[in-house]
Tab-separated table of all heavy atoms in Angstrom:
chain	number	residue	atom	x	y	z
A	71	PRO	N	2.435	31.689	5.266
A	71	PRO	CA	3.377	31.422	6.302
A	71	PRO	C	4.243	30.201	5.943
A	71	PRO	O	3.954	29.410	4.939
A	71	PRO	CB	2.571	31.205	7.585
A	71	PRO	CG	1.274	31.847	7.338
A	71	PRO	CD	1.015	31.643	5.859
A	72	PRO	N	5.203	29.886	6.595
A	72	PRO	CA	6.244	28.894	6.261
A	72	PRO	C	5.947	27.475	6.477
A	72	PRO	O	6.718	26.575	6.053
A	72	PRO	CB	7.457	29.361	7.006
A	72	PRO	CG	6.964	29.872	8.216
A	72	PRO	CD	5.755	30.604	7.919
A	73	MET	N	4.847	27.085	7.235
A	73	MET	CA	4.728	25.730	7.708
A	73	MET	C	4.696	24.714	6.599
A	73	MET	O	5.263	23.601	6.592
A	73	MET	CB	3.415	25.617	8.524
A	73	MET	CG	3.172	24.207	9.095
A	73	MET	SD	4.403	23.634	10.193
A	73	MET	CE	4.048	24.666	11.576
A	74	ILE	N	3.951	25.088	5.321
A	74	ILE	CA	3.793	24.113	4.193
A	74	ILE	C	5.210	23.749	3.794
A	74	ILE	O	5.492	22.514	3.493
A	74	ILE	CB	2.966	24.750	3.130
A	74	ILE	CG1	2.737	23.675	2.023
A	74	ILE	CG2	3.505	25.967	2.682
A	74	ILE	CD1	1.854	22.694	2.296
A	75	ALA	N	6.126	24.757	3.643
A	75	ALA	CA	7.494	24.523	3.133
A	75	ALA	C	8.200	23.643	4.134
A	75	ALA	O	9.014	22.754	3.639
A	75	ALA	CB	8.202	25.749	2.887
A	76	TRP	N	8.164	23.931	5.458
A	76	TRP	CA	8.919	23.061	6.351
A	76	TRP	C	8.503	21.604	6.344
A	76	TRP	O	9.321	20.730	6.518
A	76	TRP	CB	8.550	23.708	7.855
A	76	TRP	CG	9.120	25.110	8.049
A	76	TRP	CD1	9.861	25.860	7.225
A	76	TRP	CD2	8.823	25.935	9.193
A	76	TRP	NE1	10.132	27.082	7.725
A	76	TRP	CE2	9.557	27.183	8.873
A	76	TRP	CE3	8.196	25.731	10.302
A	76	TRP	CZ2	9.510	28.201	9.828
A	76	TRP	CZ3	8.073	26.916	11.212
A	76	TRP	CH2	8.775	28.010	10.997
A	77	ILE	N	7.178	21.419	6.196
A	77	ILE	CA	6.638	20.009	6.271
A	77	ILE	C	7.124	19.241	5.015
A	77	ILE	O	7.512	18.122	5.134
A	77	ILE	CB	5.128	19.940	6.443
A	77	ILE	CG1	4.768	20.507	7.854
A	77	ILE	CG2	4.606	18.549	6.200
A	77	ILE	CD1	3.217	20.663	8.040
A	78	ILE	N	7.022	19.896	3.855
A	78	ILE	CA	7.442	19.313	2.660
A	78	ILE	C	8.922	19.024	2.709
A	78	ILE	O	9.409	17.930	2.271
A	78	ILE	CB	7.101	20.077	1.480
A	78	ILE	CG1	5.593	20.061	1.198
A	78	ILE	CG2	7.738	19.537	0.189
A	78	ILE	CD1	5.027	21.009	0.149
A	79	ALA	N	9.663	19.965	3.244
A	79	ALA	CA	11.140	19.775	3.266
A	79	ALA	C	11.442	18.572	4.314
A	79	ALA	O	12.315	17.803	3.963
A	79	ALA	CB	11.812	20.949	3.920
A	80	LEU	N	10.726	18.405	5.276
A	80	LEU	CA	10.900	17.167	6.256
A	80	LEU	C	10.603	15.946	5.486
A	80	LEU	O	11.464	15.009	5.524
A	80	LEU	CB	10.038	17.394	7.500
A	80	LEU	CG	10.144	16.228	8.457
A	80	LEU	CD1	11.507	16.022	9.071
A	80	LEU	CD2	9.100	16.385	9.553
A	81	SER	N	9.487	15.905	4.807
A	81	SER	CA	9.126	14.657	4.046
A	81	SER	C	10.111	14.315	2.980
A	81	SER	O	10.665	13.176	2.827
A	81	SER	CB	7.754	14.731	3.462
A	81	SER	OG	7.295	13.567	2.875
A	82	THR	N	10.531	15.276	2.184
A	82	THR	CA	11.418	14.962	1.077
A	82	THR	C	12.878	14.784	1.490
A	82	THR	O	13.612	14.000	0.831
A	82	THR	CB	11.517	16.161	0.038
A	82	THR	OG1	11.736	17.418	0.707
A	82	THR	CG2	10.018	16.309	-0.563
A	83	SER	N	13.271	15.282	2.513
A	83	SER	CA	14.506	14.988	3.142
A	83	SER	C	14.615	13.453	3.606
A	83	SER	O	15.726	12.942	3.656
A	83	SER	CB	14.843	15.830	4.412
A	83	SER	OG	14.021	15.586	5.479
A	84	ILE	N	13.460	12.919	3.822
A	84	ILE	CA	13.462	11.437	4.385
A	84	ILE	C	13.224	10.534	3.151
A	84	ILE	O	13.960	9.592	2.920
A	84	ILE	CB	12.399	11.281	5.460
A	84	ILE	CG1	12.700	12.049	6.650
A	84	ILE	CG2	12.380	9.847	5.670
A	84	ILE	CD1	11.581	12.017	7.598
A	85	PHE	N	12.288	10.903	2.239
A	85	PHE	CA	11.899	10.091	1.220
A	85	PHE	C	12.195	10.417	-0.282
A	85	PHE	O	11.878	9.792	-1.154
A	85	PHE	CB	10.246	9.834	1.260
A	85	PHE	CG	9.719	9.415	2.502
A	85	PHE	CD1	9.120	10.254	3.477
A	85	PHE	CD2	9.874	8.025	2.947
A	85	PHE	CE1	8.659	9.833	4.609
A	85	PHE	CE2	9.414	7.627	4.121
A	85	PHE	CZ	8.820	8.480	5.011
A	86	GLY	N	12.931	11.655	-0.291
A	86	GLY	CA	13.453	11.995	-1.668
A	86	GLY	C	12.380	12.977	-2.288
A	86	GLY	O	11.252	13.166	-1.848
A	87	ASP	N	12.894	13.680	-3.323
A	87	ASP	CA	11.978	14.726	-3.999
A	87	ASP	C	11.103	13.991	-5.045
A	87	ASP	O	11.445	14.100	-6.285
A	87	ASP	CB	12.924	15.667	-4.685
A	87	ASP	CG	13.603	16.629	-3.581
A	87	ASP	OD1	12.888	17.332	-2.925
A	87	ASP	OD2	14.888	16.563	-3.505
A	88	THR	N	10.146	13.321	-4.523
A	88	THR	CA	9.163	12.551	-5.362
A	88	THR	C	7.749	13.051	-5.155
A	88	THR	O	7.504	13.754	-4.101
A	88	THR	CB	9.290	11.077	-5.084
A	88	THR	OG1	8.810	10.822	-3.694
A	88	THR	CG2	10.668	10.561	-5.251
A	89	GLU	N	6.800	12.738	-6.018
A	89	GLU	CA	5.472	13.163	-5.826
A	89	GLU	C	4.924	12.516	-4.554
A	89	GLU	O	4.219	13.127	-3.837
A	89	GLU	CB	4.598	12.661	-7.033
A	89	GLU	CG	4.916	13.345	-8.353
A	89	GLU	CD	4.275	12.618	-9.479
A	89	GLU	OE1	3.956	11.479	-9.391
A	89	GLU	OE2	4.171	13.322	-10.492
A	90	LEU	N	5.316	11.252	-4.256
A	90	LEU	CA	4.849	10.691	-3.033
A	90	LEU	C	5.332	11.330	-1.809
A	90	LEU	O	4.446	11.553	-0.825
A	90	LEU	CB	5.198	9.196	-2.961
A	90	LEU	CG	4.944	8.410	-1.706
A	90	LEU	CD1	3.418	8.396	-1.484
A	90	LEU	CD2	5.397	6.943	-1.762
A	91	ALA	N	6.558	11.742	-1.703
A	91	ALA	CA	7.077	12.461	-0.633
A	91	ALA	C	6.414	13.778	-0.410
A	91	ALA	O	6.202	14.178	0.683
A	91	ALA	CB	8.546	12.678	-0.782
A	92	VAL	N	6.112	14.509	-1.505
A	92	VAL	CA	5.407	15.776	-1.355
A	92	VAL	C	4.075	15.613	-0.720
A	92	VAL	O	3.548	16.358	0.026
A	92	VAL	CB	5.386	16.447	-2.735
A	92	VAL	CG1	4.546	17.662	-2.750
A	92	VAL	CG2	6.760	16.874	-3.207
A	93	ARG	N	3.389	14.496	-1.270
A	93	ARG	CA	1.926	14.427	-0.939
A	93	ARG	C	1.653	13.601	0.350
A	93	ARG	O	0.577	13.595	0.899
A	93	ARG	CB	1.166	13.740	-2.050
A	93	ARG	CG	0.931	14.673	-3.233
A	93	ARG	CD	0.331	13.936	-4.341
A	93	ARG	NE	-0.106	14.932	-5.350
A	93	ARG	CZ	-0.415	14.669	-6.603
A	93	ARG	NH1	-0.193	13.442	-7.121
A	93	ARG	NH2	-0.776	15.580	-7.442
A	94	LEU	N	2.802	12.821	0.850
A	94	LEU	CA	2.551	12.085	1.990
A	94	LEU	C	2.062	12.776	3.262
A	94	LEU	O	1.201	12.218	3.886
A	94	LEU	CB	3.930	11.301	2.262
A	94	LEU	CG	3.858	10.199	3.421
A	94	LEU	CD1	2.887	9.090	3.066
A	94	LEU	CD2	5.236	9.681	3.640
A	95	PRO	N	2.623	13.963	3.532
A	95	PRO	CA	2.138	14.738	4.692
A	95	PRO	C	0.587	14.929	4.665
A	95	PRO	O	-0.083	15.009	5.662
A	95	PRO	CB	2.951	16.000	4.683
A	95	PRO	CG	4.260	15.552	3.955
A	95	PRO	CD	3.732	14.676	2.856
A	96	ALA	N	0.108	15.254	3.352
A	96	ALA	CA	-1.325	15.452	3.258
A	96	ALA	C	-2.173	14.238	3.677
A	96	ALA	O	-3.122	14.335	4.419
A	96	ALA	CB	-1.666	15.850	1.898
A	97	ALA	N	-1.731	13.038	3.397
A	97	ALA	CA	-2.420	11.877	3.707
A	97	ALA	C	-2.371	11.658	5.239
A	97	ALA	O	-3.364	11.232	5.760
A	97	ALA	CB	-1.904	10.685	3.047
A	98	VAL	N	-1.215	11.985	5.781
A	98	VAL	CA	-0.935	11.706	7.205
A	98	VAL	C	-1.802	12.826	8.012
A	98	VAL	O	-2.632	12.379	8.949
A	98	VAL	CB	0.448	11.818	7.676
A	98	VAL	CG1	0.718	11.662	9.032
A	98	VAL	CG2	1.101	10.578	6.956
A	99	LEU	N	-1.626	14.017	7.737
A	99	LEU	CA	-2.286	15.116	8.464
A	99	LEU	C	-3.828	15.123	8.232
A	99	LEU	O	-4.576	15.222	9.271
A	99	LEU	CB	-1.730	16.450	8.098
A	99	LEU	CG	-0.255	16.739	8.440
A	99	LEU	CD1	0.245	17.978	7.855
A	99	LEU	CD2	-0.122	16.742	9.984
A	100	GLY	N	-4.269	14.900	7.054
A	100	GLY	CA	-5.650	14.888	6.837
A	100	GLY	C	-6.390	13.759	7.440
A	100	GLY	O	-7.567	13.836	7.690
A	101	THR	N	-5.658	12.606	7.680
A	101	THR	CA	-6.374	11.426	8.347
A	101	THR	C	-6.226	11.595	9.878
A	101	THR	O	-7.263	11.296	10.520
A	101	THR	CB	-5.697	10.119	7.796
A	101	THR	OG1	-5.744	10.253	6.387
A	101	THR	CG2	-6.520	8.989	8.371
A	102	LEU	N	-5.150	11.889	10.347
A	102	LEU	CA	-4.892	11.966	11.830
A	102	LEU	C	-5.703	13.076	12.384
A	102	LEU	O	-6.018	13.022	13.529
A	102	LEU	CB	-3.425	12.122	12.130
A	102	LEU	CG	-2.470	11.014	11.825
A	102	LEU	CD1	-0.990	11.272	12.300
A	102	LEU	CD2	-2.898	9.624	12.288
A	103	GLY	N	-6.061	14.088	11.570
A	103	GLY	CA	-6.967	15.185	12.098
A	103	GLY	C	-8.260	14.691	12.545
A	103	GLY	O	-8.821	15.217	13.353
A	104	LEU	N	-8.627	13.504	11.937
A	104	LEU	CA	-9.916	12.908	12.199
A	104	LEU	C	-9.952	12.447	13.661
A	104	LEU	O	-10.908	12.247	14.302
A	104	LEU	CB	-10.228	11.792	11.263
A	104	LEU	CG	-10.471	12.236	9.811
A	104	LEU	CD1	-10.692	10.999	8.961
A	104	LEU	CD2	-11.656	13.230	9.712
């Protein structure tokens, strides 16, 4: 489904097309889920 693409698009639109921008949502979601 499309959620992964939507979230990465949101992050890269703010922080640019970088490795950090791609992976930043994982750090946020994986931690806030706790």
Side-chain angles (χ1 to χ4, degrees):
M73 182 63 72
I74 183 78
W76 296 352
I77 293 175
I78 293 176
L80 175 61
S81 181
T82 54
S83 68
I84 298 172
F85 302 107
D87 291 297
T88 64
E89 292 168 341
L90 175 60
V92 172
R93 287 176 168 158
L94 186 61
V98 174
L99 294 173
T101 307
L102 294 185
L104 297 176

